[in-house]
């Protein structure tokens, strides 16, 4: 289950990066949007993992 959670987190961050790239490209800051969206989704995944830690 731990590997699955890690894989899903990475996939979410990649998708958020792609979406952020296109959103950022619409305002002429493509890489800034990609980094911003990836960081936001990464922090959300970290918080989710901490809150739902299985022993």
């Amino acid at each position: 289950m731990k590997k699955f959670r890690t894989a899903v987190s990475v996939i979410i961050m990649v998708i958020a990066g792609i979406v952020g790239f296109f959103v950022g490209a619409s305002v002429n800051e493509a890489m800034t949007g990609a980094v911003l969206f990836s960081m936001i989704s990464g922090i959300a995944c970290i918080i989710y993992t901490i809150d739902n830690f299985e022993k």
Side-chain angles (χ1 to χ4, degrees):
M1 187 69 176
K2 195 176 221 181
K3 290 181 182 179
F4 178 72
R5 191 179 324 178
T6 303
V8 170
S9 296
V10 170
I11 291 169
I12 289 172
M13 287 185 278
V14 168
I15 292 171
I18 293 169
V19 170
F21 180 80
F22 289 113
V23 170
S26 68
V27 292
N28 296 328
E29 293 290 334
M31 290 310 293
T32 305
V35 171
L36 177 66
F37 277 46
S38 295
M39 289 297 295
I40 290 171
S41 65
I43 291 170
C45 289
I46 290 169
I47 292 171
Y48 175 79
T49 302
I50 290 172
D51 285 343
N52 297 316
F53 184 73
E54 297 174 351
K55 293 184 179 181

